[in-house]
Amino acid sequence: MQFEAGSLTGKMMAGAALVAAVTAVSPAYAGYYDTLPEEARRNIQDYLVWTGHYDAPIDGSIGPQTVAAIRAWQEDNGYGSDGVLAVGEAEAMGEAARSAYKTAQFTIGTDGDAGLTYGLPYSLVSVVGENEWNGLNFADPEKTLRISSFRIADMSTEKVETFSEHVFEDVPGFETSAVRFENGVLTIRGGDSTEILRMDAKLFGDQLRGIFVWMDRDLVGQNGHLLAAMTNSLDLAPVETPSLFASSPSNEDGMRAISLPNAPSDGEFPNGSGTGFVVDTNGSILTNAHVVAGCGRVEVTGLGEAQVMLEDDSLDLALLKVNGARELKAATLSSDEPMLGEDVFAFGYPLPQALGSELGFSRGSVSSMVGLRSEPTQFRMTASVQPGNSGGPLVDEEGRVIGMVTAKLDAMAVANATGDIPQSMNFAIRSSVLRDWLKAQNITFEATDRHDEYKRASAVAKDAADYTHQVVCYEE
């Protein structure tokens, strides 16, 4: 099981961005939330999940259910329950959410047996072992919180509907309170007199993949928010053979002892995350210096722990070395300059909490040959980027890395200063700067000239997925 960053960017990054967005809007209820960026709306819902006031999809749609949750939070915390978040309220809600998230040590992992990614509260549960449903079992020591993943084959829409009707009929005392199967997503809620159960699953081809969660009713008051957090973290992933869990035989009874190689321990908690890309086959990875600034430990998802070999704050570049990595797929850099107007693709891991831990892709174009304040080491482009994209490759239509994503303009700050909201103002470090810097570090890399031999976007994305990785920073 490979662990991604915690289900947020590591800092529940909405704080400044959300407060800035709230500041920029006149506090009138009608249409208020429609004026906020989708990122801010998602973060509001995410905060409400972690304060225990919202149990629904984090989708950025602020409707009656979300507004009701905002009002409930305001009332519980002594604010006027008008459903409109003021700046101070957004700050207080974010602080409470971050505290709950950190206390839970909530971490998203990729379960190669069940073909899923999902988040688990590692302050409470640990691995128990494999189960008979092609999945894994987790529990706390008292078995008051139990989670099981599963992957059931030979399923269809009709079979899922039948399954949902009968799956718990032999469980003594169990009563189903809600069953919903829509657009391939199955949701079951129920329980008995002592515990509640949630089942969330997705039909993928002929496989139903999902998780069961049992929680004692006595725990719901204090930990009920974890149920909504786990539900929102669930997503599909490749089925891995063998399992990506580390395992070793037990000397006592021959049972496999399964451990989680990247699970937080001794209070360790992700402090942030970004993106990096492989530049040679021996484990050298390039990212932004600000991604790894102040990290006590750095993990590269899917590869393992990495050492920060060099940081250059002036260029915002850092070189990582993955311990023991060999024969990695490396990116090919562009040996010429970007062209104004050419199409580009940004790859990275934006907003892990809202969007999950799969590689993200966005398309845009080179819109200026210089960066902010005419910075010559950078250029401007329109591909959409978010927190978590920092350090990711910007790739041209031939599949060459022409730059590294480094920053986006603070639209709310500009709007406050000028009265106008800028659109698609994002920046990348030029490939020529990357090449010169790598040469100075004696790093061997591949670079090619432009040949006007364009690839499909899907082919470019397939190649980029092999050399682009999430970079996770842990606190000192």
Side-chain angles (χ1 to χ4, degrees):
M1 183 164 183
Q2 293 292 326
F3 284 85
E4 318 288 336
S7 66
L8 306 179
T9 58
K11 298 180 179 178
M12 294 210 42
M13 45 67 50
L18 176 55
V19 170
V22 170
T23 304
V25 183
S26 175
Y29 179 77
Y32 173 70
Y33 292 107
D34 292 339
T35 65
L36 297 183
E38 182 179 353
E39 171 190 335
R41 299 196 303 269
R42 286 179 176 272
N43 282 319
I44 289 171
Q45 292 174 325
D46 185 36
Y47 282 2
L48 289 165
V49 164
W50 284 97
T51 61
H53 292 84
Y54 183 70
D55 186 0
I58 297 174
D59 57 8
S61 177
I62 306 295
Q65 188 171 6
T66 307
V67 173
I70 293 170
R71 285 174 167 160
W73 179 87
Q74 290 174 321
E75 185 173 349
D76 288 347
N77 289 274
Y79 298 102
S81 55
D82 58 1
V84 178
L85 281 177
V87 175
E89 294 172 356
E91 291 175 337
M93 183 187 290
E95 184 63 30
R98 283 188 291 271
S99 177
Y101 175 75
K102 188 168 184 176
T103 298
Q105 295 182 10
F106 195 78
T107 304
I108 288 182
T110 301
D111 182 339
D113 291 353
L116 293 167
T117 60
Y118 48 86
L120 295 170
Y122 278 97
S123 62
L124 298 176
V125 301
S126 59
V127 182
V128 175
E130 296 178 333
N131 61 44
E132 60 185 301
W133 312 303
N134 301 310
L136 298 157
N137 294 329
F138 306 81
D140 66 344
E142 292 78 25
K143 303 295 190 295
T144 57
L145 174 60
R146 310 189 310 281
I147 301 112
S148 294
S149 63
F150 62 88
R151 176 170 53 87
I152 304 173
D154 192 28
M155 297 294 280
S156 63
T157 298
E158 294 74 17
K159 289 182 178 180
V160 171
E161 292 173 346
T162 301
F163 170 85
S164 65
E165 294 173 0
H166 301 290
V167 61
F168 298 117
E169 65 181 6
D170 294 330
V171 180
F174 183 87
E175 294 185 3
T176 301
S177 59
V179 177
R180 182 177 182 180
F181 181 51
E182 187 175 86
N183 298 322
V185 177
L186 175 63
T187 302
I188 300 178
R189 301 289 183 262
D192 58 23
S193 60
T194 61
E195 60 184 3
I196 63 172
L197 177 138
R198 296 168 70 111
M199 174 182 167
D200 294 278
K202 298 186 178 185
L203 182 62
F204 181 66
D206 67 346
Q207 295 183 346
L208 186 66
R209 306 181 189 180
I211 57 173
F212 295 103
V213 182
W214 294 266
M215 178 181 285
D216 276 20
R217 292 188 181 275
D218 292 342
L219 292 182
V220 174
Q222 182 177 358
N223 293 304
H225 60 284
L226 298 176
L227 299 170
M230 285 186 277
T231 295
N232 273 290
S233 70
L234 184 66
D235 205 352
L236 298 169
V239 175
E240 303 288 348
T241 305
S243 171
L244 293 179
F245 276 92
S247 62
S248 58
S250 165
N251 293 327
E252 295 181 2
D253 57 11
M255 295 292 292
R256 293 207 305 160
I258 303 177
S259 62
L260 305 176
N262 296 330
S265 60
D266 299 327
E268 184 182 49
F269 190 77
N271 191 47
S273 71
T275 304
F277 56 96
V278 180
V279 291
D280 71 14
T281 59
N282 294 320
S284 297
I285 291 180
L286 202 56
T287 188
N288 285 140
H290 74 259
V291 169
V292 296
C295 298
R297 184 171 70 84
V298 175
E299 289 273 354
V300 177
T301 300
L303 297 180
E305 189 165 326
Q307 303 299 317
V308 180
M309 306 304 293
L310 189 67
E311 294 178 75
D312 188 329
D313 292 333
S314 64
L315 294 175
D316 196 17
L317 293 176
L319 185 67
L320 312 181
K321 184 75 172 180
V322 177
N323 302 333
R326 294 291 185 273
E327 303 301 323
L328 298 181
K329 168 74 174 181
T332 298
L333 304 187
S334 166
S335 58
D336 40 45
E337 293 297 325
M339 297 190 302
L340 187 65
E342 73 170 304
D343 287 342
V344 292
F345 310 101
F347 296 92
Y349 295 85
L351 301 174
Q353 167 62 14
L355 303 180
S357 299
E358 296 298 311
L359 180 67
F361 160 94
S362 63
R363 187 171 193 161
S365 60
V366 176
S367 55
S368 174
M369 299 304 292
V370 294
L372 188 63
R373 300 186 181 90
S374 299
E375 172 58 50
T377 63
Q378 300 179 5
F379 61 93
R380 195 170 79 227
M381 52 84 183
T382 63
S384 175
V385 298
Q386 305 293 343
N389 273 111
S390 293
L394 191 72
V395 184
D396 67 9
E397 290 184 292
E398 296 187 31
R400 306 175 306 157
V401 175
I402 66 168
M404 174 193 285
V405 174
T406 187
K408 64 178 292 184
L409 200 61
D410 187 336
M412 287 299 114
V414 174
N416 285 335
T418 68
D420 189 27
I421 300 178
Q423 302 291 325
S424 302
M425 302 281 279
N426 306 316
F427 302 94
I429 302 170
R430 291 174 176 268
S431 61
S432 58
V433 175
L434 305 182
R435 296 195 313 270
D436 291 345
W437 194 77
L438 289 172
K439 287 177 183 177
Q441 317 314 321
N442 296 315
I443 300 296
T444 301
F445 57 88
E446 182 178 350
T448 62
D449 295 331
R450 180 179 288 108
H451 297 293
D452 293 330
E453 297 176 353
Y454 303 125
K455 299 179 179 180
R456 289 179 178 269
S458 58
V460 174
K462 183 178 180 181
D463 289 342
D466 290 336
Y467 58 73
T468 307
H469 298 272
Q470 188 174 44
V471 177
V472 184
C473 171
Y474 288 89
E475 295 176 349
E476 293 180 304

